[in-house]
mmCIF file of all heavy atoms in Angstrom:
data_model
loop_
_atom_site.group_PDB
_atom_site.id
_atom_site.type_symbol
_atom_site.label_atom_id
_atom_site.label_comp_id
_atom_site.label_asym_id
_atom_site.label_seq_id
_atom_site.Cartn_x
_atom_site.Cartn_y
_atom_site.Cartn_z
ATOM 1 N N GLY A 1 0.807 -1.210 0.000
ATOM 2 C CA GLY A 1 0.000 0.000 0.000
ATOM 3 C C GLY A 1 0.842 1.263 0.000
ATOM 4 O O GLY A 1 1.792 1.390 0.780
ATOM 5 N N ALA A 2 0.497 2.191 -0.879
ATOM 6 C CA ALA A 2 1.273 3.427 -1.025
ATOM 7 C C ALA A 2 0.440 4.665 -0.708
ATOM 8 O O ALA A 2 0.725 5.754 -1.200
ATOM 9 C CB ALA A 2 1.862 3.503 -2.423
ATOM 10 N N CYS A 3 -0.602 4.477 0.111
ATOM 11 C CA CYS A 3 -1.459 5.598 0.508
ATOM 12 C C CYS A 3 -1.574 5.659 2.022
ATOM 13 O O CYS A 3 -2.590 6.076 2.569
ATOM 14 C CB CYS A 3 -2.826 5.465 -0.149
ATOM 15 S SG CYS A 3 -2.751 5.445 -1.940
ATOM 16 N N GLY A 4 -0.516 5.184 2.691
ATOM 17 C CA GLY A 4 -0.485 5.223 4.143
ATOM 18 C C GLY A 4 0.197 4.033 4.782
ATOM 19 O O GLY A 4 0.814 4.170 5.829
ATOM 20 N N SER A 5 0.110 2.858 4.185
ATOM 21 C CA SER A 5 0.685 1.665 4.817
ATOM 22 C C SER A 5 2.209 1.628 4.732
ATOM 23 O O SER A 5 2.892 1.611 5.751
ATOM 24 C CB SER A 5 0.093 0.398 4.206
ATOM 25 O OG SER A 5 -1.255 0.266 4.578
ATOM 26 N N LEU A 6 2.755 1.579 3.512
ATOM 27 C CA LEU A 6 4.212 1.572 3.332
ATOM 28 C C LEU A 6 4.742 2.944 2.956
ATOM 29 O O LEU A 6 5.821 3.340 3.385
ATOM 30 C CB LEU A 6 4.623 0.578 2.238
ATOM 31 C CG LEU A 6 4.401 -0.889 2.532
ATOM 32 C CD1 LEU A 6 4.826 -1.728 1.337
ATOM 33 C CD2 LEU A 6 5.175 -1.312 3.763
ATOM 34 N N TYR A 7 4.021 3.609 2.114
ATOM 35 C CA TYR A 7 4.365 4.951 1.633
ATOM 36 C C TYR A 7 3.096 5.784 1.718
ATOM 37 O O TYR A 7 2.021 5.270 1.979
ATOM 38 C CB TYR A 7 4.823 4.921 0.163
ATOM 39 C CG TYR A 7 5.900 3.920 -0.116
ATOM 40 C CD1 TYR A 7 5.602 2.691 -0.705
ATOM 41 C CD2 TYR A 7 7.228 4.188 0.209
ATOM 42 C CE1 TYR A 7 6.591 1.760 -0.959
ATOM 43 C CE2 TYR A 7 8.217 3.265 -0.048
ATOM 44 C CZ TYR A 7 7.899 2.054 -0.631
ATOM 45 O OH TYR A 7 8.877 1.137 -0.882
ATOM 46 N N ASN A 8 3.238 7.077 1.430
ATOM 47 C CA ASN A 8 2.038 7.903 1.348
ATOM 48 C C ASN A 8 2.200 8.874 0.181
ATOM 49 O O ASN A 8 2.322 10.080 0.366
ATOM 50 C CB ASN A 8 1.747 8.631 2.652
ATOM 51 C CG ASN A 8 0.280 8.962 2.767
ATOM 52 O OD1 ASN A 8 -0.436 8.972 1.763
ATOM 53 N ND2 ASN A 8 -0.180 9.230 3.957
ATOM 54 N N ILE A 9 2.197 8.317 -0.996
ATOM 55 C CA ILE A 9 2.431 9.081 -2.214
ATOM 56 C C ILE A 9 1.345 10.128 -2.436
ATOM 57 O O ILE A 9 1.633 11.248 -2.843
ATOM 58 C CB ILE A 9 2.549 8.122 -3.421
ATOM 59 C CG1 ILE A 9 3.826 7.290 -3.277
ATOM 60 C CG2 ILE A 9 2.514 8.883 -4.741
ATOM 61 C CD1 ILE A 9 3.966 6.153 -4.266
ATOM 62 N N VAL A 10 0.097 9.782 -2.161
ATOM 63 C CA VAL A 10 -1.015 10.680 -2.505
ATOM 64 C C VAL A 10 -1.110 11.925 -1.630
ATOM 65 O O VAL A 10 -1.826 12.857 -1.980
ATOM 66 C CB VAL A 10 -2.372 9.933 -2.523
ATOM 67 C CG1 VAL A 10 -2.404 8.894 -3.629
ATOM 68 C CG2 VAL A 10 -2.676 9.305 -1.184
ATOM 69 N N THR A 11 -0.394 11.955 -0.520
ATOM 70 C CA THR A 11 -0.393 13.162 0.315
ATOM 71 C C THR A 11 1.011 13.718 0.518
ATOM 72 O O THR A 11 1.205 14.608 1.345
ATOM 73 C CB THR A 11 -1.043 12.897 1.694
ATOM 74 O OG1 THR A 11 -0.299 11.895 2.376
ATOM 75 C CG2 THR A 11 -2.495 12.482 1.548
ATOM 76 N N ASP A 12 1.975 13.247 -0.240
ATOM 77 C CA ASP A 12 3.363 13.690 -0.109
ATOM 78 C C ASP A 12 3.490 15.154 -0.537
ATOM 79 O O ASP A 12 3.202 15.495 -1.692
ATOM 80 C CB ASP A 12 4.269 12.804 -0.960
ATOM 81 C CG ASP A 12 5.744 13.025 -0.683
ATOM 82 O OD1 ASP A 12 6.158 14.190 -0.453
ATOM 83 O OD2 ASP A 12 6.495 12.031 -0.702
ATOM 84 N N GLU A 13 3.880 15.994 0.378
ATOM 85 C CA GLU A 13 3.961 17.438 0.099
ATOM 86 C C GLU A 13 5.045 17.797 -0.903
ATOM 87 O O GLU A 13 5.055 18.915 -1.423
ATOM 88 C CB GLU A 13 4.149 18.207 1.408
ATOM 89 C CG GLU A 13 2.911 18.139 2.278
ATOM 90 C CD GLU A 13 2.994 19.005 3.520
ATOM 91 O OE1 GLU A 13 3.944 19.793 3.644
ATOM 92 O OE2 GLU A 13 2.078 18.880 4.347
ATOM 93 N N ARG A 14 5.960 16.886 -1.190
ATOM 94 C CA ARG A 14 7.009 17.162 -2.179
ATOM 95 C C ARG A 14 6.476 17.077 -3.608
ATOM 96 O O ARG A 14 7.103 17.579 -4.526
ATOM 97 C CB ARG A 14 8.174 16.181 -2.000
ATOM 98 C CG ARG A 14 8.870 16.342 -0.652
ATOM 99 C CD ARG A 14 9.835 15.229 -0.397
ATOM 100 N NE ARG A 14 9.102 13.971 -0.283
ATOM 101 C CZ ARG A 14 9.685 12.791 -0.092
ATOM 102 N NH1 ARG A 14 10.990 12.691 -0.012
ATOM 103 N NH2 ARG A 14 8.958 11.693 0.017
ATOM 104 N N LEU A 15 5.323 16.473 -3.774
ATOM 105 C CA LEU A 15 4.735 16.336 -5.108
ATOM 106 C C LEU A 15 3.850 17.531 -5.414
ATOM 107 O O LEU A 15 3.423 18.256 -4.514
ATOM 108 C CB LEU A 15 3.945 15.027 -5.197
ATOM 109 C CG LEU A 15 4.788 13.765 -4.978
ATOM 110 C CD1 LEU A 15 3.910 12.531 -4.972
ATOM 111 C CD2 LEU A 15 5.886 13.645 -6.028
ATOM 112 N N ASN A 16 3.531 17.691 -6.698
ATOM 113 C CA ASN A 16 2.777 18.884 -7.132
ATOM 114 C C ASN A 16 1.272 18.790 -6.886
ATOM 115 O O ASN A 16 0.563 19.757 -7.126
ATOM 116 C CB ASN A 16 3.040 19.150 -8.614
ATOM 117 C CG ASN A 16 2.519 18.033 -9.510
ATOM 118 O OD1 ASN A 16 2.383 16.901 -9.079
ATOM 119 N ND2 ASN A 16 2.249 18.357 -10.746
ATOM 120 N N HIS A 17 0.786 17.638 -6.449
ATOM 121 C CA HIS A 17 -0.647 17.483 -6.202
ATOM 122 C C HIS A 17 -0.841 16.483 -5.070
ATOM 123 O O HIS A 17 -0.075 15.533 -4.922
ATOM 124 C CB HIS A 17 -1.356 16.969 -7.473
ATOM 125 C CG HIS A 17 -2.829 16.814 -7.306
ATOM 126 N ND1 HIS A 17 -3.696 17.875 -7.267
ATOM 127 C CD2 HIS A 17 -3.593 15.702 -7.122
ATOM 128 C CE1 HIS A 17 -4.936 17.427 -7.089
ATOM 129 N NE2 HIS A 17 -4.893 16.116 -7.003
ATOM 130 N N ARG A 18 -1.879 16.705 -4.292
ATOM 131 C CA ARG A 18 -2.231 15.800 -3.198
ATOM 132 C C ARG A 18 -3.727 15.526 -3.231
ATOM 133 O O ARG A 18 -4.501 16.363 -3.688
ATOM 134 C CB ARG A 18 -1.827 16.410 -1.852
ATOM 135 C CG ARG A 18 -0.325 16.326 -1.605
ATOM 136 C CD ARG A 18 0.164 17.254 -0.531
ATOM 137 N NE ARG A 18 0.071 18.679 -0.859
ATOM 138 C CZ ARG A 18 0.821 19.312 -1.752
ATOM 139 N NH1 ARG A 18 1.701 18.656 -2.460
ATOM 140 N NH2 ARG A 18 0.678 20.603 -1.960
ATOM 141 N N LEU A 19 -4.105 14.363 -2.731
ATOM 142 C CA LEU A 19 -5.506 13.967 -2.694
ATOM 143 C C LEU A 19 -5.997 13.908 -1.260
ATOM 144 O O LEU A 19 -5.235 13.580 -0.347
ATOM 145 C CB LEU A 19 -5.699 12.570 -3.296
ATOM 146 C CG LEU A 19 -5.611 12.401 -4.790
ATOM 147 C CD1 LEU A 19 -4.195 12.466 -5.298
ATOM 148 C CD2 LEU A 19 -6.245 11.087 -5.186
ATOM 149 N N GLU A 20 -7.271 14.162 -1.082
ATOM 150 C CA GLU A 20 -7.928 13.873 0.186
ATOM 151 C C GLU A 20 -8.132 12.361 0.214
ATOM 152 O O GLU A 20 -8.524 11.762 -0.797
ATOM 153 C CB GLU A 20 -9.278 14.592 0.229
ATOM 154 C CG GLU A 20 -10.098 14.290 1.452
ATOM 155 C CD GLU A 20 -11.504 14.862 1.372
ATOM 156 O OE1 GLU A 20 -11.710 15.865 0.664
ATOM 157 O OE2 GLU A 20 -12.396 14.280 2.007
ATOM 158 N N VAL A 21 -7.874 11.721 1.343
ATOM 159 C CA VAL A 21 -7.976 10.261 1.440
ATOM 160 C C VAL A 21 -8.946 9.875 2.545
ATOM 161 O O VAL A 21 -8.875 10.399 3.659
ATOM 162 C CB VAL A 21 -6.591 9.620 1.717
ATOM 163 C CG1 VAL A 21 -6.724 8.105 1.872
ATOM 164 C CG2 VAL A 21 -5.601 9.965 0.616
ATOM 165 N N THR A 22 -9.838 8.947 2.219
ATOM 166 C CA THR A 22 -10.734 8.334 3.191
ATOM 167 C C THR A 22 -10.520 6.831 3.106
ATOM 168 O O THR A 22 -10.672 6.243 2.028
ATOM 169 C CB THR A 22 -12.210 8.665 2.895
ATOM 170 O OG1 THR A 22 -12.372 10.088 2.881
ATOM 171 C CG2 THR A 22 -13.135 8.050 3.939
ATOM 172 N N ALA A 23 -10.150 6.222 4.219
ATOM 173 C CA ALA A 23 -9.892 4.780 4.242
ATOM 174 C C ALA A 23 -10.933 4.068 5.093
ATOM 175 O O ALA A 23 -11.572 4.680 5.951
ATOM 176 C CB ALA A 23 -8.500 4.516 4.802
ATOM 177 N N GLY A 24 -11.111 2.773 4.830
ATOM 178 C CA GLY A 24 -11.949 1.942 5.675
ATOM 179 C C GLY A 24 -13.421 1.900 5.317
ATOM 180 O O GLY A 24 -14.226 1.410 6.102
ATOM 181 N N ILE A 25 -13.791 2.363 4.128
ATOM 182 C CA ILE A 25 -15.197 2.302 3.718
ATOM 183 C C ILE A 25 -15.513 0.867 3.275
ATOM 184 O O ILE A 25 -14.846 0.330 2.386
ATOM 185 C CB ILE A 25 -15.498 3.307 2.584
ATOM 186 C CG1 ILE A 25 -15.186 4.739 3.029
ATOM 187 C CG2 ILE A 25 -16.943 3.168 2.106
ATOM 188 C CD1 ILE A 25 -16.014 5.243 4.204
ATOM 189 N N LEU A 26 -16.492 0.256 3.908
ATOM 190 C CA LEU A 26 -16.849 -1.156 3.701
ATOM 191 C C LEU A 26 -15.607 -2.042 3.817
ATOM 192 O O LEU A 26 -15.425 -3.007 3.071
ATOM 193 C CB LEU A 26 -17.560 -1.364 2.359
ATOM 194 C CG LEU A 26 -18.881 -0.626 2.175
ATOM 195 C CD1 LEU A 26 -19.516 -0.990 0.827
ATOM 196 C CD2 LEU A 26 -19.867 -0.920 3.304
ATOM 197 N N GLU A 27 -14.775 -1.700 4.784
ATOM 198 C CA GLU A 27 -13.497 -2.394 4.986
ATOM 199 C C GLU A 27 -13.680 -3.901 5.172
ATOM 200 O O GLU A 27 -12.948 -4.698 4.581
ATOM 201 C CB GLU A 27 -12.787 -1.797 6.197
ATOM 202 C CG GLU A 27 -11.457 -2.446 6.514
ATOM 203 C CD GLU A 27 -10.769 -1.771 7.683
ATOM 204 O OE1 GLU A 27 -11.421 -1.025 8.440
ATOM 205 O OE2 GLU A 27 -9.559 -1.997 7.823
ATOM 206 N N LYS A 28 -14.646 -4.280 6.000
ATOM 207 C CA LYS A 28 -14.858 -5.711 6.281
ATOM 208 C C LYS A 28 -15.186 -6.471 4.999
ATOM 209 O O LYS A 28 -14.610 -7.529 4.726
ATOM 210 C CB LYS A 28 -15.984 -5.865 7.308
ATOM 211 C CG LYS A 28 -16.265 -7.291 7.707
ATOM 212 C CD LYS A 28 -17.342 -7.357 8.791
ATOM 213 C CE LYS A 28 -17.568 -8.794 9.215
ATOM 214 N NZ LYS A 28 -18.922 -9.237 8.932
ATOM 215 N N GLU A 29 -16.092 -5.938 4.198
ATOM 216 C CA GLU A 29 -16.485 -6.597 2.952
ATOM 217 C C GLU A 29 -15.305 -6.702 1.978
ATOM 218 O O GLU A 29 -15.093 -7.743 1.359
ATOM 219 C CB GLU A 29 -17.647 -5.852 2.286
ATOM 220 C CG GLU A 29 -18.939 -5.895 3.065
ATOM 221 C CD GLU A 29 -19.090 -4.790 4.109
ATOM 222 O OE1 GLU A 29 -18.068 -4.238 4.578
ATOM 223 O OE2 GLU A 29 -20.244 -4.493 4.471
ATOM 224 N N CYS A 30 -14.551 -5.626 1.863
ATOM 225 C CA CYS A 30 -13.404 -5.622 0.950
ATOM 226 C C CYS A 30 -12.342 -6.618 1.405
ATOM 227 O O CYS A 30 -11.797 -7.378 0.596
ATOM 228 C CB CYS A 30 -12.802 -4.214 0.864
ATOM 229 S SG CYS A 30 -13.875 -2.992 0.097
ATOM 230 N N SER A 31 -12.062 -6.609 2.686
ATOM 231 C CA SER A 31 -11.056 -7.505 3.250
ATOM 232 C C SER A 31 -11.480 -8.968 3.110
ATOM 233 O O SER A 31 -10.679 -9.827 2.712
ATOM 234 C CB SER A 31 -10.828 -7.157 4.716
ATOM 235 O OG SER A 31 -9.839 -7.970 5.272
ATOM 236 N N GLU A 32 -12.733 -9.256 3.426
ATOM 237 C CA GLU A 32 -13.224 -10.640 3.326
ATOM 238 C C GLU A 32 -13.186 -11.144 1.889
ATOM 239 O O GLU A 32 -12.875 -12.314 1.644
ATOM 240 C CB GLU A 32 -14.645 -10.742 3.885
ATOM 241 C CG GLU A 32 -14.695 -10.705 5.386
ATOM 242 C CD GLU A 32 -16.111 -10.744 5.942
ATOM 243 O OE1 GLU A 32 -17.096 -10.683 5.160
ATOM 244 O OE2 GLU A 32 -16.226 -10.812 7.189
ATOM 245 N N GLN A 33 -13.495 -10.278 0.935
ATOM 246 C CA GLN A 33 -13.458 -10.673 -0.468
ATOM 247 C C GLN A 33 -12.051 -11.150 -0.851
ATOM 248 O O GLN A 33 -11.881 -12.187 -1.474
ATOM 249 C CB GLN A 33 -13.900 -9.506 -1.348
ATOM 250 C CG GLN A 33 -14.088 -9.851 -2.803
ATOM 251 C CD GLN A 33 -14.622 -8.661 -3.601
ATOM 252 O OE1 GLN A 33 -14.208 -7.519 -3.387
ATOM 253 N NE2 GLN A 33 -15.534 -8.932 -4.518
ATOM 254 N N LEU A 34 -11.053 -10.397 -0.436
ATOM 255 C CA LEU A 34 -9.664 -10.763 -0.725
ATOM 256 C C LEU A 34 -9.234 -12.003 0.058
ATOM 257 O O LEU A 34 -8.619 -12.920 -0.505
ATOM 258 C CB LEU A 34 -8.733 -9.592 -0.416
ATOM 259 C CG LEU A 34 -8.817 -8.434 -1.402
ATOM 260 C CD1 LEU A 34 -8.261 -7.156 -0.793
ATOM 261 C CD2 LEU A 34 -8.074 -8.790 -2.685
ATOM 262 N N GLN A 35 -9.565 -12.063 1.334
ATOM 263 C CA GLN A 35 -9.194 -13.214 2.155
ATOM 264 C C GLN A 35 -9.802 -14.500 1.618
ATOM 265 O O GLN A 35 -9.119 -15.538 1.549
ATOM 266 C CB GLN A 35 -9.614 -12.996 3.612
ATOM 267 C CG GLN A 35 -8.787 -11.961 4.324
ATOM 268 C CD GLN A 35 -9.353 -11.597 5.693
ATOM 269 O OE1 GLN A 35 -10.460 -11.998 6.062
ATOM 270 N NE2 GLN A 35 -8.595 -10.815 6.440
ATOM 271 N N ASN A 36 -11.070 -14.460 1.231
ATOM 272 C CA ASN A 36 -11.728 -15.650 0.689
ATOM 273 C C ASN A 36 -11.086 -16.093 -0.618
ATOM 274 O O ASN A 36 -10.913 -17.289 -0.855
ATOM 275 C CB ASN A 36 -13.223 -15.391 0.487
ATOM 276 C CG ASN A 36 -13.963 -15.236 1.796
ATOM 277 O OD1 ASN A 36 -13.511 -15.677 2.853
ATOM 278 N ND2 ASN A 36 -15.118 -14.585 1.747
ATOM 279 N N PHE A 37 -10.733 -15.130 -1.464
ATOM 280 C CA PHE A 37 -10.076 -15.445 -2.731
ATOM 281 C C PHE A 37 -8.762 -16.183 -2.483
ATOM 282 O O PHE A 37 -8.498 -17.226 -3.080
ATOM 283 C CB PHE A 37 -9.828 -14.170 -3.538
ATOM 284 C CG PHE A 37 -9.004 -14.378 -4.766
ATOM 285 C CD1 PHE A 37 -9.585 -14.865 -5.936
ATOM 286 C CD2 PHE A 37 -7.640 -14.098 -4.777
ATOM 287 C CE1 PHE A 37 -8.825 -15.068 -7.088
ATOM 288 C CE2 PHE A 37 -6.884 -14.295 -5.918
ATOM 289 C CZ PHE A 37 -7.471 -14.777 -7.073
ATOM 290 N N PHE A 38 -7.923 -15.646 -1.585
ATOM 291 C CA PHE A 38 -6.620 -16.262 -1.349
ATOM 292 C C PHE A 38 -6.739 -17.583 -0.590
ATOM 293 O O PHE A 38 -5.960 -18.512 -0.845
ATOM 294 C CB PHE A 38 -5.679 -15.284 -0.648
ATOM 295 C CG PHE A 38 -5.164 -14.222 -1.587
ATOM 296 C CD1 PHE A 38 -5.540 -12.902 -1.423
ATOM 297 C CD2 PHE A 38 -4.340 -14.546 -2.658
ATOM 298 C CE1 PHE A 38 -5.090 -11.925 -2.302
ATOM 299 C CE2 PHE A 38 -3.891 -13.582 -3.545
ATOM 300 C CZ PHE A 38 -4.253 -12.267 -3.369
ATOM 301 N N ALA A 39 -7.707 -17.723 0.279
ATOM 302 C CA ALA A 39 -7.935 -18.998 0.965
ATOM 303 C C ALA A 39 -8.329 -20.065 -0.051
ATOM 304 O O ALA A 39 -7.826 -21.200 -0.009
ATOM 305 C CB ALA A 39 -9.014 -18.856 2.030
ATOM 306 N N HIS A 40 -9.211 -19.690 -0.969
ATOM 307 C CA HIS A 40 -9.636 -20.618 -2.019
ATOM 308 C C HIS A 40 -8.445 -20.994 -2.911
ATOM 309 O O HIS A 40 -8.260 -22.161 -3.266
ATOM 310 C CB HIS A 40 -10.755 -19.984 -2.842
ATOM 311 C CG HIS A 40 -11.286 -20.845 -3.934
ATOM 312 N ND1 HIS A 40 -12.036 -21.978 -3.697
ATOM 313 C CD2 HIS A 40 -11.150 -20.765 -5.281
ATOM 314 C CE1 HIS A 40 -12.344 -22.552 -4.842
ATOM 315 N NE2 HIS A 40 -11.821 -21.835 -5.817
ATOM 316 N N ARG A 41 -7.631 -20.013 -3.256
ATOM 317 C CA ARG A 41 -6.463 -20.274 -4.103
ATOM 318 C C ARG A 41 -5.463 -21.189 -3.396
ATOM 319 O O ARG A 41 -4.918 -22.100 -4.014
ATOM 320 C CB ARG A 41 -5.792 -18.962 -4.511
ATOM 321 C CG ARG A 41 -4.598 -19.230 -5.428
ATOM 322 C CD ARG A 41 -4.080 -18.011 -6.077
ATOM 323 N NE ARG A 41 -4.894 -17.692 -7.234
ATOM 324 C CZ ARG A 41 -4.645 -16.664 -8.016
ATOM 325 N NH1 ARG A 41 -3.642 -15.864 -7.767
ATOM 326 N NH2 ARG A 41 -5.400 -16.428 -9.062
ATOM 327 N N ARG A 42 -5.235 -20.957 -2.105
ATOM 328 C CA ARG A 42 -4.317 -21.830 -1.353
ATOM 329 C C ARG A 42 -4.848 -23.256 -1.327
ATOM 330 O O ARG A 42 -4.089 -24.214 -1.491
ATOM 331 C CB ARG A 42 -4.117 -21.304 0.072
ATOM 332 C CG ARG A 42 -3.155 -20.136 0.169
ATOM 333 C CD ARG A 42 -2.796 -19.802 1.611
ATOM 334 N NE ARG A 42 -3.928 -19.372 2.407
ATOM 335 C CZ ARG A 42 -4.412 -18.128 2.430
ATOM 336 N NH1 ARG A 42 -3.849 -17.181 1.713
ATOM 337 N NH2 ARG A 42 -5.456 -17.831 3.184
#
């Protein structure tokens, strides 16, 4: 992740543009979708 987890490119003041960021919207659903996919793949 480059929007807060490992880096924060979208709010880096050294760049010429920054975005407003909102995280965690329907987080549970998004996370479960990915977890189920990888569990099935494993």
Side-chain angles (χ1 to χ4, degrees):
C3 301
S5 290
L6 293 179
Y7 308 101
N8 205 341
I9 293 171
V10 295
T11 61
D12 191 322
E13 292 186 9
R14 296 170 295 178
L15 299 175
N16 64 335
H17 181 74
R18 284 162 293 289
L19 286 75
E20 176 188 334
V21 178
T22 303
I25 301 298
L26 299 183
E27 179 177 17
K28 182 177 182 242
E29 294 87 336
C30 294
S31 182
E32 285 177 354
Q33 188 176 40
L34 288 160
Q35 289 171 351
N36 292 339
F37 172 81
F38 285 113
H40 181 70
R41 182 168 279 181
R42 282 190 297 277

